[in-house]
């Protein structure tokens, strides 16, 4: 019996104006019927190029399959060569025999079609059934992927669903034609740990019911342990290690695999410098020396409060009368009171929709509070006029969740970082401002030649460093980091967390670190505040909350952290 999928000696090149760039080199992979194979590696390692090659979704040119074969055998009989199928033959295979769950559901789903119609479209394309039967099948799949109120969601548009719900619609869309092979491209990146666990269990249970093969692409080896039978580790377009999950975790052979296992914050004490890939790749098989950062211990009796929040509420109208009078409210932030002390990092953790981002923006009055008080250095922010707020925003900065959407695509990164310096009339000439920007770029481990490049020319980790540099340009005393590492590779995440710790030590700023991942928050914070449905569940010292949680909700968040790597 032939395996479900076999990739043999695959080489893929990209032709650009500057020459030919090899993307994949000598890839050999096998996926058995009913097996889950994980493809692991950081951004740019070739994971997505491998999966897109299977479905011939790479634009050619610039892509070129210079060598190799991809053999597919859905019934175990004589395999077909996918690279030799024409466009019409591939159209019949895509979605029908091989399906794919893409990384970002919001950009993968059509915003002008309802979720139900998009899944129904795939069913009608590959099955000879009428629209009524197709609709019933869609609702049945929505039930299987555990979407609440499937009939209602059938008529909803993607923007009306949460991130986890959109991902479930994508799973239903991929599974509705019962494919022999399912390719999942980072299906849980940037999701809450609790939603991530639910999605992983869902994919596993659907795979066991249908007996299909799965290629699961991720950068996090912790996630791999939850779902996969075998894993292949990719680095710079090559497979550097392959094997059963247990052997990869217990006896990793390649330095890069060791790096991926080591750089997760869950494995390290608070304040300890995280190892990065360069440490391992530069030292062969030896473990790198991990040095501890001297994090300041905040003593509340000696340190003055920098920010005091009293009874803060942010309510959004959910239902209005004909005349526009609100009848019902969504209480995004509901009567919160807390204090942030000079020099400390307060971690704010909770699932999507709990009110974390709303609270962060309300503190800067980017969203107007419904009621309550915000005292910053004895100044009441909620009553200040726009001109006063503009001056205060020199001292309070926000690092947004998505660096790509928070950078102007038409401005070079140098201009973007220099812009706040111009607005606040800092430095007397453009040359002085440019010198300052170059200094900031170097502080965040970028180079002077990056000044004239545009945001799209950088990786996700580099863009995150650029927005950190922009936030630091005005020398703020208070920074709010909104999910600033949630969508990054674990290796890049380690670099950014090290950078934030180093910069905090150098600049001495106070910060609120917002995240849905308790292991990251525990690593970087002095205190943790757990939020649920607009209220504070519990708060206290980081290690106490992480190791001895009192609230059932906090225990649930900790239980959802992937346990593939032993926790500290």
């Amino acid at each position: 019996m032939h395996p479900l999928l076999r990739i043999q000696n695959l080489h893929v090149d990209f032709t650009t104006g500057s020459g030919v760039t090899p993307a994949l080199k000598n890839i050999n992979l096998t996926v058995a019927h009913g097996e889950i194979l994980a493809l692991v590696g950081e951004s740019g390692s070739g994971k997505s190029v491998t999966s897109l090659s299977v479905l011939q979704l790479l634009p050619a040119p610039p892509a070129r399959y210079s060598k190799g074969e991809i053999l597919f055998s859905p019934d175990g009989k004589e395999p077909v060569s996918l690279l030799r199928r024409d466009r019409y033959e591939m159209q019949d295979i895509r979605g029908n025999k091989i399906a794919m769950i893409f990384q970002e559901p919001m950009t993968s789903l059509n915003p002008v079609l309802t979720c139900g119609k998009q899944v129904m479209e795939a069913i009608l394309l590959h099955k000879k059934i009428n629209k009524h039967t197709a609709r019933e099948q869609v609702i049945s799949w929505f039930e299987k992927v555990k979407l609440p109120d499937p009939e209602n969601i059938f008529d909803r548009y993607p923007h009306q669903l949460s991130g986890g719900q959109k991902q479930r619609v994508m799973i239903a869309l991929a599974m509705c034609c019962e494919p022999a092979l399912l390719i999942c491209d980072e299906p849980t990146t940037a999701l809450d740990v609790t939603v991530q666990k639910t999605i992983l269990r869902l994919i596993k249970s659907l795979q066991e019911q249908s007996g299909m093969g799965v290629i699961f692409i991720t950068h996090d080896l912790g996630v791999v342990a939850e779902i996969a039978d075998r894993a292949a580790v990719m680095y710079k377009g090559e497979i550097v290690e392959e094997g059963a999950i247990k052997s990869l975790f217990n006896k990793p052979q390649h330095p890069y695999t060791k790096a991926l296992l080591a750089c997760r914050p869950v494995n390290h004490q608070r304040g300890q410098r995280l190892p990065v890939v360069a440490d391992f790749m530069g030292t062969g098989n030896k473990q790198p020396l991990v040095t501890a950062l001297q994090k300041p211990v905040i003593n509340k009796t000696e340190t003055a409060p920098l920010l005091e929040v009293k009874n803060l509420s942010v309510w959004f109208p959910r239902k209005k009368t004909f005349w526009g009078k609100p009848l019902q409210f969504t209480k995004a932030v509901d009567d919160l009171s807390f204090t942030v002390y000079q020099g400390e990092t307060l971690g704010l953790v909770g699932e999507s929709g709990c009110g974390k981002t709303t609270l962060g923006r309300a503190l800067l009055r980017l969203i107007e509070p419904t009621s309550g008080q915000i005292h910053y250095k004895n100044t009441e922010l909620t009553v200040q006029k726009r001109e006063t707020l503009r001056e205060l925003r020199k001292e309070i900065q926000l690092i947004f969740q998505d660096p790509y959407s928070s950078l102007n695509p038409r401005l070079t990164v140098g201009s973007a970082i220099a812009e706040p310096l111009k607005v606040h009339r800092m430095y007397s000439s453009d040359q002085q401002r440019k010198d300052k920007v170059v200094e900031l770029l170097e502080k965040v481990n970028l180079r002077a030649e990056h000044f004239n490049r545009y945001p799209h020319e950088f990786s996700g980790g580099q863009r995150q460093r650029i927005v950190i540099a922009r936030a630091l340009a005005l020398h703020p005393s208070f920074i709010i980091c909104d999910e600033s590492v949630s969508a990054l590779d674990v290796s890049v995440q380690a670099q950014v967390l090290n950078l934030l710790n180093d910069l905090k030590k150098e600049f001495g700023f106070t910060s609120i670190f917002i995240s849905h991942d308790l292991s990251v928050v525990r690593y970087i914070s002095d205190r943790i505040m757990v939020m649920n449905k607009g209220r504070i569940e519990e708060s206290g010292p980081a290690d106490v909350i992480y190791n001895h949680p009192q609230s059932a909700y906090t225990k649930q968040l900790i239980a959802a952290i992937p346990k593939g790597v032993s926790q500290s």
Side-chain angles (χ1 to χ4, degrees):
M1 185 175 176
H2 290 277
L4 178 61
L5 185 79
R6 178 180 288 153
I7 301 175
Q8 295 178 327
N9 306 319
L10 183 66
H11 289 68
V12 176
D13 303 326
F14 285 97
T15 308
T16 63
S18 56
V20 177
T21 303
L24 297 180
K25 292 169 273 188
N26 199 34
I27 300 297
N28 288 282
L29 276 178
T30 301
V31 183
H33 293 266
E35 179 185 43
I36 300 181
L37 172 73
L39 210 51
V40 188
E42 60 192 342
S43 292
S45 62
K47 309 185 303 292
S48 293
V49 173
T50 303
S51 64
L52 293 170
S53 298
V54 173
L55 286 166
Q56 278 196 50
L57 289 175
L58 293 173
R64 181 170 63 95
Y65 302 99
S66 54
K67 193 178 175 185
E69 274 197 304
I70 301 174
L71 302 173
F72 178 57
S73 175
D75 52 9
K77 296 177 183 175
E78 193 61 32
V80 296
S81 175
L82 294 178
L83 294 181
R84 294 178 187 172
R85 301 296 101 182
D86 64 27
R87 184 161 58 97
Y88 300 103
E89 289 173 311
M90 285 307 298
Q91 193 169 310
D92 183 54
I93 290 171
R94 290 185 199 124
N96 188 16
K97 295 176 182 175
I98 305 176
M100 189 162 181
I101 301 169
F102 291 94
Q103 183 168 357
E104 179 44 71
M106 194 62 222
T107 53
S108 304
L109 293 168
N110 189 331
V112 298
L113 284 181
T114 64
C115 295
K117 281 195 175 175
Q118 294 185 59
V119 181
M120 199 163 95
E121 193 176 51
I123 291 173
L124 291 172
L125 181 66
H126 295 294
K127 293 184 181 180
K128 293 178 181 178
I129 55 175
N130 59 38
K131 287 185 177 181
H132 178 72
T133 309
R135 181 187 170 91
E136 287 180 344
Q137 287 191 13
V138 173
I139 291 170
S140 170
W141 273 106
F142 281 179
E143 287 171 353
K144 283 181 185 176
V145 298
K146 297 179 173 58
L147 277 166
D149 196 0
E151 296 213 10
N152 186 6
I153 283 181
F154 186 98
D155 295 316
R156 284 198 200 172
Y157 291 90
H159 73 272
Q160 296 175 299
L161 306 184
S162 72
Q165 288 173 335
K166 284 195 284 276
Q167 198 60 279
R168 289 177 208 200
V169 171
M170 283 295 298
I171 293 170
L173 181 57
M175 294 286 296
C176 64
C177 294
E178 299 176 27
L181 176 65
L182 178 67
I183 300 171
C184 306
D185 188 2
E186 302 268 15
T188 60
T189 299
L191 293 180
D192 301 340
V193 283
T194 47
V195 178
Q196 172 179 272
K197 189 154 194 162
T198 306
I199 296 294
L200 291 175
R201 282 178 176 169
L202 176 60
I203 292 171
K204 182 82 173 172
S205 68
L206 291 173
Q207 181 267 336
E208 287 170 350
Q209 289 169 30
S210 63
M212 66 182 173
V214 177
I215 297 176
F216 192 94
I217 297 170
T218 183
H219 60 254
D220 190 346
L221 272 168
V223 169
V224 168
E226 299 275 314
I227 193 168
D229 304 305
R230 285 190 305 121
V233 181
M234 291 192 75
Y235 181 63
K236 293 186 177 178
E238 297 182 79
I239 292 173
V240 294
E241 188 166 356
E242 185 181 354
I245 294 301
K246 282 187 180 178
S247 64
L248 271 182
F249 279 118
N250 298 329
K251 294 180 182 177
Q253 300 300 310
H254 196 275
Y256 182 67
T257 312
K258 293 178 182 179
L260 289 180
L261 285 163
C263 63
R264 299 175 72 234
V266 74
N267 296 326
H268 298 278
Q269 297 299 325
R270 189 165 57 88
Q272 187 181 45
R273 175 167 288 281
L274 295 173
V276 296
V277 170
D279 297 331
F280 286 81
M281 300 309 286
T283 56
N285 289 331
K286 294 178 183 176
Q287 291 286 356
L289 181 66
V290 179
T291 57
L293 278 175
Q294 295 300 312
K295 272 180 77 76
V297 178
I298 306 303
N299 188 332
K300 295 178 190 178
T301 58
E302 297 174 5
T303 310
L306 185 72
L307 183 81
E308 287 186 275
V309 177
K310 295 178 181 176
N311 308 111
L312 186 69
S313 293
V314 183
W315 294 4
F316 298 110
R318 188 169 61 191
K319 194 175 180 182
K320 295 181 180 180
T321 65
F322 178 78
W323 306 106
K325 184 181 178 181
L327 287 174
Q328 294 178 354
F329 291 92
T330 297
K331 298 179 180 181
V333 176
D334 190 17
D335 197 30
L336 291 194
S337 298
F338 62 94
T339 304
V340 184
Y341 294 89
Q342 184 82 40
E344 84 167 333
T345 298
L346 174 69
L348 186 59
V349 70
E351 295 176 287
S352 291
C354 72
K356 307 184 302 292
T357 295
T358 303
L359 173 60
R361 295 189 177 203
L363 295 178
L364 277 81
R365 277 193 51 198
L366 297 175
I367 294 174
E368 288 298 330
T370 307
S371 62
Q373 297 176 313
I374 305 165
H375 294 277
Y376 174 75
K377 290 184 178 178
N378 300 317
T379 302
E380 225 296 56
L381 297 186
T382 56
V383 298
Q384 300 303 317
K385 293 184 178 177
R386 186 180 294 178
E387 293 76 16
T388 313
L389 277 176
R390 178 176 284 191
E391 282 302 310
L392 280 168
R393 282 186 183 137
K394 282 172 66 176
E395 297 189 38
I396 310 174
Q397 287 288 307
L398 176 63
I399 300 171
F400 291 93
Q401 181 169 357
D402 182 358
Y404 194 68
S405 61
S406 62
L407 289 167
N408 188 333
R410 296 184 179 183
L411 285 182
T412 64
V413 298
S415 302
I417 298 170
E419 195 171 35
L421 299 176
K422 278 185 180 180
V423 169
H424 291 281
R425 297 182 180 87
M426 293 178 72
Y427 304 98
S428 55
S429 69
D430 286 343
Q431 185 57 48
Q432 285 183 324
R433 282 189 279 268
K434 181 174 181 178
D435 292 342
K436 179 62 181 175
V437 171
V438 169
E439 181 191 326
L440 285 164
L441 286 171
E442 289 172 348
K443 279 263 192 292
V444 296
N445 301 325
L446 294 170
R447 297 190 299 276
E449 57 261 35
H450 290 141
F451 185 96
N452 292 316
R453 291 189 192 173
Y454 289 89
H456 72 272
E457 298 179 82
F458 293 90
S459 70
Q462 287 173 322
R463 281 196 289 266
Q464 195 61 270
R465 292 181 216 176
I466 290 160
V467 295
I468 290 170
R470 184 176 60 178
L472 290 170
L474 300 172
H475 291 282
S477 54
F478 185 57
I479 296 179
I480 298 170
C481 305
D482 186 7
E483 298 274 15
S484 51
V485 296
S486 64
L488 299 178
D489 299 341
V490 283
S491 50
V492 179
Q493 181 188 79
Q495 293 171 24
V496 173
L497 290 173
N498 284 339
L499 173 67
L500 286 169
N501 269 334
D502 290 342
L503 293 171
K504 183 182 173 183
K505 191 177 176 185
E506 182 176 345
F507 290 93
F509 55 79
T510 306
S511 60
I512 291 179
F513 191 91
I514 298 171
S515 179
H516 59 254
D517 189 339
L518 241 172
S519 63
V520 171
V521 171
R522 188 268 317 177
Y523 167 76
I524 203 162
S525 305
D526 300 296
R527 282 191 301 130
I528 290 178
M529 194 163 76
V530 182
M531 234 179 132
N532 182 24
K533 296 178 181 175
R535 307 296 295 266
I536 296 172
E537 283 276 334
E538 65 177 308
S539 64
D543 288 327
V544 173
I545 294 290
Y546 189 79
N547 295 315
H548 307 287
Q550 300 302 307
S551 157
Y553 178 73
T554 311
K555 290 175 183 175
Q556 180 189 336
L557 286 179
I558 292 169
I561 298 169
K563 304 288 192 300
V565 187
S566 62
Q567 296 184 40
S568 56

